[in-house]
């Protein structure tokens, strides 16, 4: 028999997910069968795959330990090692035992994915933390997203309860995020709201064929910081977290973000690159306010505008006063 006692960092995890991590070499179908035939018990009682674990729970698994755990490698193909990165390059804005806030540079992907080469934010964070990146059965991970070409502050959970907390914070809209962006043209007024539904970015072709395009509510607030006849420097906040929301919203109202190669004005981008030296997307996550995962008190973290964006504003005569 094997027994596991649930520590704080595993609180809120589903039993089946916890067991898949602990018994990584066991086929999932066999694991569920063991639960079904009562070979897995929690606190001496019959277990359910979907039940959420709490601190102090004791999971007992009947069977031979060596057979349950399997060989060290399980005969499975190991994932490739992460690319070598220099953790000293990571700009840390805030760190404690529960979380980190990092200033992500433009061009760095948050996670690995198709077409992603080079070190990701995940690689840098885990290289920086070293052995401390893994706590019990949880590995330090970003708590939300930033587009690859967007720079600025991003939060990282170092413990499972912190990730559970941040998931709730972002789902319930309890975090306040402010972005700085440069857009094409003269804004019609000093501030405004864009409330325009956006199509679900990750919807599959099968889903679209079955039920049509899924539209999601989206709201972006903007305010002019500096304005010229050619471009405007804006402060933006979002009340929904749709993929590429700020970029898609501003493009939809005729004021695309400078340097945006996906939704932007290509002629404007070429002109801005030639005259103002802008070689990247001008979108920066400048500030975030959120309740701390340990004590719930309000925390504010800011990331300064990168030098290359400051240079662009100087050449465009749009530097904030």
């Amino acid at each position: 028999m094997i027994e596991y006692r649930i520590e704080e960092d595993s609180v809120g995890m589903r039993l089946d997910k916890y067991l898949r991590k602990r018994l990584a070499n066991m086929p999932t179908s066999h694991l569920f069968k063991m639960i079904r035939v009562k070979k897995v018990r929690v606190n001496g009682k019959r277990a359910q795959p979907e039940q959420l674990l709490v601190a102090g729970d004791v999971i007992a698994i009947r069977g031979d330990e060596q057979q349950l755990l399997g060989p060290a490698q399980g005969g499975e193909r190991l994932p490739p090692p992460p690319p070598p990165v220099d953790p000293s390059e990571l700009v840390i804005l805030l760190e404690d035992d529960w979380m980190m806030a990092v200033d992500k540079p433009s061009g760095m992907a948050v996670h690995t994915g198709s077409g992603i080469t080079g070190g990701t934010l995940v690689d840098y964070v885990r290289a920086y933390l070293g052995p401390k990146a893994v706590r019990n059965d949880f590995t330090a991970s970003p708590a939300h997203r930033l587009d690859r070409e967007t720079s600025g502050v991003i939060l990282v959970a170092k413990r499972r309860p912190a990730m559970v907390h941040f998931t709730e914070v972002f789902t319930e809209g309890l975090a306040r995020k402010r972005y700085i962006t440069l857009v094409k043209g003269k804004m019609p007024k000093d501030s405004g709201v864009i409330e325009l539904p956006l199509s679900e970015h990750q919807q599959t072709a099968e889903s679209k064929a079955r039920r049509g395009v899924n539209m999601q509510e989206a709201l972006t607030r903007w305010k002019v910081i500096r304005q010229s006849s050619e471009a405007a420097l804006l402060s933006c906040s979002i009340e929904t977290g749709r993929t590429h929301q700020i970029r898609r919203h501003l493009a939809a109202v005729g004021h695309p973000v400078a340097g945006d190669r996906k939704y932007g004005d290509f002629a404007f981008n070429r002109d801005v690159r030639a005259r103002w030296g802008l070689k990247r997307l001008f979108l920066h996550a400048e500030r975030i306010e959120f309740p701390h995962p340990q004590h719930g008190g309000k925390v504010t973290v800011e990331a300064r505008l990168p030098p290359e964006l400051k240079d662009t504003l100087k050449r465009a005569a749009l530097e904030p006063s």
Side-chain angles (χ1 to χ4, degrees):
M1 186 190 311
I2 302 176
E3 281 193 356
Y4 296 110
R5 182 175 293 274
I6 299 304
E7 304 292 341
E8 186 179 17
D9 287 333
S10 296
V11 170
M13 195 174 191
R14 282 175 54 121
L15 173 66
D16 55 351
K17 186 174 181 181
Y18 180 86
L19 292 177
R20 284 200 298 269
K21 284 180 172 289
R22 290 293 188 181
L23 309 178
N25 295 313
M26 180 181 291
T28 302
S29 59
H30 186 58
L31 189 151
F32 277 90
K33 181 179 179 181
M34 290 185 66
I35 298 174
R36 190 169 61 251
V37 299
K38 305 179 186 178
K39 288 190 176 181
V40 178
R41 290 185 172 268
V42 178
N43 302 326
K45 299 179 181 179
R46 182 175 183 175
Q48 299 296 331
E50 70 279 2
Q51 74 182 82
L52 302 181
L53 300 175
V54 299
D57 278 349
V58 176
I59 301 173
I61 308 169
R62 289 170 51 195
D64 179 82
E65 181 175 348
Q66 186 173 358
Q67 290 182 348
L68 291 171
L69 295 176
Q73 302 300 340
E76 295 182 3
R77 186 178 178 182
L78 294 175
V85 296
D86 182 358
S88 67
E89 297 175 359
L90 194 67
V91 179
I92 300 169
L93 304 170
L94 174 70
E95 182 181 9
D96 58 32
D97 192 44
W98 285 70
M99 56 152 294
M100 298 168 61
V102 176
D103 188 358
K104 185 189 82 68
S106 175
M108 178 187 288
V110 175
H111 298 278
T112 56
S114 177
I116 301 297
T117 58
T120 65
L121 182 71
V122 168
D123 295 325
Y124 276 91
V125 165
R126 293 175 182 174
Y128 166 78
L129 291 173
K132 294 181 180 179
V134 180
R135 185 164 181 157
N136 292 337
D137 59 348
F138 178 76
T139 306
S141 301
H144 57 113
R145 302 186 309 267
L146 275 185
D147 297 344
R148 183 174 184 173
E149 300 306 319
T150 301
S151 56
V153 60
I154 187 166
L155 305 183
V156 174
K158 295 170 66 175
R159 306 172 63 173
R160 181 170 299 282
M163 181 61 84
V164 172
H165 169 81
F166 283 132
T167 298
E168 180 181 354
V169 163
F170 289 108
T171 301
E172 300 297 325
L174 302 178
R176 295 185 177 182
K177 295 182 280 186
R178 187 172 73 197
Y179 296 78
I180 301 297
T181 185
L182 183 69
V183 301
K184 176 186 176 182
K186 187 174 178 65
M187 303 304 290
K189 50 187 178 180
D190 291 338
S191 62
V193 176
I194 305 171
E195 191 168 7
L196 180 68
L198 297 171
S199 59
E200 183 181 346
H201 199 260
Q202 305 260 340
Q203 189 179 10
T204 64
E206 180 184 354
S207 174
K208 290 179 182 178
R210 189 174 65 251
R211 59 190 180 95
V213 176
N214 182 33
M215 303 301 292
Q216 300 175 311
E217 293 183 359
L219 190 149
T220 302
R221 300 184 184 276
W222 57 268
K223 184 177 180 180
V224 175
I225 301 174
R226 290 291 303 273
Q227 176 75 71
S228 73
S229 59
E230 297 177 281
L233 182 65
L234 305 181
S235 168
C236 294
S237 62
I238 54 177
E239 295 191 9
T240 49
R242 309 307 179 198
T243 302
H244 303 163
Q245 178 174 321
I246 292 175
R247 297 162 61 186
R248 294 164 76 188
H249 265 175
L250 288 168
V253 298
H255 298 282
V257 174
D260 192 338
R261 292 176 289 181
K262 186 176 181 68
Y263 307 103
D265 182 308
F266 303 125
F268 177 68
N269 289 346
R270 285 195 301 269
D271 187 46
V272 166
R273 183 185 180 99
R275 294 171 55 210
W276 300 340
L278 180 65
K279 300 177 182 178
R280 50 157 290 192
L281 177 75
F282 201 123
L283 184 60
H284 178 71
E286 179 194 44
R287 174 187 173 103
I288 186 168
E289 293 181 7
F290 58 93
H292 192 277
Q294 180 183 21
H295 51 72
K298 187 178 79 171
V299 178
T300 302
V301 182
E302 295 188 357
R304 294 179 179 178
L305 202 64
E308 69 271 17
L309 298 187
K310 288 183 178 180
D311 289 343
T312 294
L313 294 180
K314 185 175 181 180
R315 292 171 182 166
L318 283 169
E319 293 174 284
S321 55

